[in-house]
C-alpha cells in the first residue's frame, strides 16, 4: 500500500505487464472484488486505488459521510489475492494546495445533456479529472470499470479517445445481490425497511426490458419509460430523479423510438430516504449481441465504444 505519487511511480516500474488498474473510492464490496478478479485473470499485475475524490461530490452530497475504511479494504484485497499494489493517496497528495492551489481540471463537454450529468452538476468534471490524474500516475495498460456507473463508463471511453490516453477501458457487468439490487458502497446507508424496497429499482428496469424483448418488441421511448415508472411508483417511498433512455454510443437522450439495431442505455436515479441509487440495463437486439460475442460482424465492431458495450 503506497500513499504518495512518488512511491506509486517507483512501484509501477517494478510491475510486470500488462498492468491493469481498478480505481475505487473504497468501502469495497463483492462488485469491486470481482472487477479485481477479472483484472487479475487477464493481466500480469493489478493496481487498485482507494481515494474518495472530493471534486466529484457536489455541495450537499455525501462526501463527508462516504464510508472510509482503508484497513478493512486492504484486508479484503489481501484475502482475495488479485491485487499487486494499492494506491491510497491523501486529498493533499492529489490536489496540492501549496505553493499554489491545484487549478487544472478536465471538463467533459459531450455528455452535458445526459440526465445523470444534469442531476449532478460538476460530478463528471470531477470524475474525468481524477481518473486522468490516476491514469497519469499509475500508467495502466487497461482500466476496469463496473457497468453500474454506465454514464461514467461512457465518459471514460470518450475521454480516453479524445485525450489519447494509451489505456484500454474494460467494462464488467453490474454485480447484483441475490434479490437484484445492484451492489454499491452506498447501499450501506439503507435502513432495513429501505433495503427491502431497494430491489424494486432493478425490477422496474426488468419490466422495461421485458417490454423491449417480449412479443410486443416495444421500441417507443415513452412506453419504455412508463413501464419503468409504473413499477417504481408502486413504492411511494421511492422518489424518482430521472429515467433516461440514451444512445449507447453517445450518451444522448433518444427522443422518440429506438433504432432497431443501435443499442440504448435505460438508466435511472431514485432517492430512497437519504440515499441516491442508480442502476441501468442495456437494451439491444440479441442477435447483434450474440454475433458480436462470437466475433462476427467485424465491420460494425470497428466502433470501439459499441464494441466495448457489446462485450457486456
Ligand atoms: O466509480 C468510482 O468509484 C469513482 O467515480 C472513481 C472512478 C473511482 C473516480 O473517483
Amino acid at each position: 500500500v503506497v500513499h504518495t505519487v512518488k512511491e506509486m511511480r517507483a512501484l509501477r516500474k517494478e510491475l510486470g505487464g500488462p498492468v491493469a488498474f481498478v480505481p475505487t473510492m473504497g468501502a469495497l464490496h463483492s462488485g469491486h472484488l470481482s472487477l479485481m478478479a477479472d483484472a487479475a485473470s487477464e493481466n500480469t499485475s493489478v493496481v487498485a486505488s482507494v481515494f474518495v475524490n472530493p471534486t466529484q461530490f457536489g455541495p450537499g452530497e455525501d462526501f463527508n459521510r462516504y464510508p472510509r475504511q482503508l484497513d478493512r479494504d486492504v484486508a479484503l484485497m489481501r484475502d482475495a489475492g488479485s491485487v499487486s499494489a494499492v494506491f491510497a493517496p491523501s486529498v493533499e497528495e492529489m490536489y496540492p494546495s501549496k505553493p499554489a492551489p491545484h487549478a487544472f481540471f478536465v471538463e467533459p463537454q459531450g455528455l452535458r445533456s445526459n440526465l445523470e450529468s444534469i442531476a449532478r452538476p460538476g460530478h463528471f468534471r470531477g470524475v474525468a479529472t481524477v481518473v486522468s490524474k490516476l491514469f497519469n500516475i499509475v500508467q495502466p495498460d487497461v482500466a476496469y470499470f463496473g457497468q453500474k456507473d454506465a454514464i461514467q463508463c461512457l465518459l471514460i471511453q470518450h475521454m480516453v479517445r479524445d485525450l489519447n490516453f494509451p489505456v484500454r477501458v474494460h467494462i464488467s457487468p453490474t454485480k447484483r445481490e441475490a434479490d437484484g439490487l445492484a451492489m454499491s458502497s452506498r447501499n450501506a446507508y439503507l435502513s432495513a425497511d429501505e433495503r427491502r424496497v431497494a430491489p424494486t429499482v432493478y425490477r422496474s428496469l426488468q419490466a422495461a426490458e421485458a417490454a423491449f424483448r417480449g412479443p410486443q418488441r416495444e421500441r417507443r421511448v415513452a412506453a419504455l419509460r412508463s413501464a419503468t415508472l409504473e413499477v417504481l411508483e408502486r413504492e411511494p417511498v421511492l422518489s424518482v430523479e430521472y429515467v433516461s433512455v440514451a444512445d449507447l454510443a453517445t450518451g444522448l437522450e433518444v427522443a422518440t423510438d429506438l433504432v432497431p439495431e443501435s443499442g440504448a442505455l435505460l438508466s435511472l436515479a431514485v432517492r430512497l430516504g437519504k440515499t441516491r441509487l442508480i442502476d441501468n440495463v442495456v437494451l439491444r437486439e440479441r442477435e447483434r449481441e450474440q454475433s458480436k460475442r462470437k466475433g462476427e460482424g467485424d465491420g460494425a465492431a470497428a466502433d470501439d465504444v459499441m464494441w466495448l458495450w457489446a462485450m457486456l
Side-chain angles (χ1 to χ4, degrees):
V1 182
V2 295
H3 301 283
T4 66
V5 174
K6 199 170 163 197
E7 288 168 312
M8 185 61 235
R9 286 203 199 285
L11 194 58
R12 173 66 180 83
K13 292 205 181 95
E14 313 284 301
L15 297 175
V19 174
F21 177 43
V22 185
T24 82
M25 297 207 299
L28 302 183
H29 49 68
S30 334
H32 293 115
L33 296 174
S34 103
L35 274 183
M36 292 167 190
D38 287 353
S41 71
E42 293 159 3
N43 299 278
T44 305
S45 313
V46 179
V47 177
S49 64
V50 175
F51 178 61
V52 184
N53 172 37
T55 63
Q56 69 188 75
F57 290 81
E61 289 190 356
D62 55 346
F63 175 67
N64 287 328
R65 70 175 182 136
Y66 200 88
R68 287 160 175 87
Q69 42 197 46
L70 183 62
D71 291 346
R72 178 184 166 276
D73 290 341
V74 170
L76 284 171
M77 288 187 267
R78 193 165 280 141
D79 289 349
S82 330
V83 167
S84 337
V86 178
F87 178 51
S90 64
V91 172
E92 180 64 23
E93 184 70 12
M94 290 298 278
Y95 297 104
S97 58
K98 294 187 200 99
H102 180 279
F104 283 77
F105 291 85
V106 178
E107 183 81 57
Q109 300 281 341
L111 286 163
R112 276 193 300 200
S113 63
N114 177 273
L115 296 182
E116 181 69 8
S117 300
I118 292 170
R120 299 189 71 187
H123 170 66
F124 287 124
R125 174 188 194 252
V127 171
T129 301
V130 81
V131 172
S132 302
K133 288 166 69 69
L134 291 167
F135 281 180
N136 284 333
I137 296 163
V138 174
Q139 303 201 0
D141 297 298
V142 51
Y144 283 68
F145 293 87
Q147 190 200 329
K148 203 211 79 192
D149 299 299
I151 303 301
Q152 170 170 285
C153 292
L154 266 185
L155 172 95
I156 305 294
Q157 287 178 332
H158 291 188
M159 182 181 86
V160 160
R161 188 199 63 178
D162 290 356
L163 299 182
N164 304 96
F165 281 98
V167 179
R168 195 162 62 79
V169 179
H170 178 105
I171 301 169
S172 290
T174 305
K175 283 275 158 192
R176 299 185 180 280
E177 305 289 354
D179 57 14
L181 176 65
M183 287 185 188
S184 163
S185 306
R186 290 188 168 97
N187 293 350
Y189 300 151
L190 299 171
S191 69
D193 282 344
E194 289 166 348
R195 177 63 189 80
R196 269 191 288 278
V197 171
T200 308
V201 172
Y202 183 49
R203 278 203 289 276
S204 74
L205 295 170
Q206 285 177 305
E209 203 174 14
F212 178 85
R213 299 213 186 282
Q216 72 269 46
R217 295 174 59 81
E218 187 57 78
R219 294 295 181 268
R220 291 167 303 161
V221 168
L224 291 165
R225 194 175 270 128
S226 311
T228 312
L229 284 169
E230 203 179 291
V231 176
L232 293 173
E233 281 162 3
R234 277 183 226 151
E235 293 290 353
V237 288
L238 285 176
S239 111
V240 179
E241 238 177 53
Y242 68 79
V243 174
S244 155
V245 182
D247 183 278
L248 200 47
T250 63
L252 299 178
E253 293 301 308
V254 180
T256 49
D257 290 354
L258 301 188
V259 183
E261 69 284 355
S262 84
L265 180 72
L266 172 65
S267 61
L268 56 77
V270 300
R271 297 228 170 237
L272 181 49
K274 290 201 176 90
T275 310
R276 183 173 190 269
L277 298 176
I278 59 171
D279 201 351
N280 66 81
V281 291
V282 169
L283 302 177
R284 57 153 67 255
E285 306 277 332
R286 269 200 205 288
E287 308 70 52
R288 182 177 158 90
E289 250 172 73
Q290 280 159 3
S291 69
K292 285 251 179 116
R293 283 220 178 100
K294 281 194 234 112
E296 294 158 12
D298 280 344
D303 179 334
D304 275 350
V305 172
M306 296 305 286
W307 179 79
L308 282 159
W309 280 103
M311 298 295 286
L312 294 173

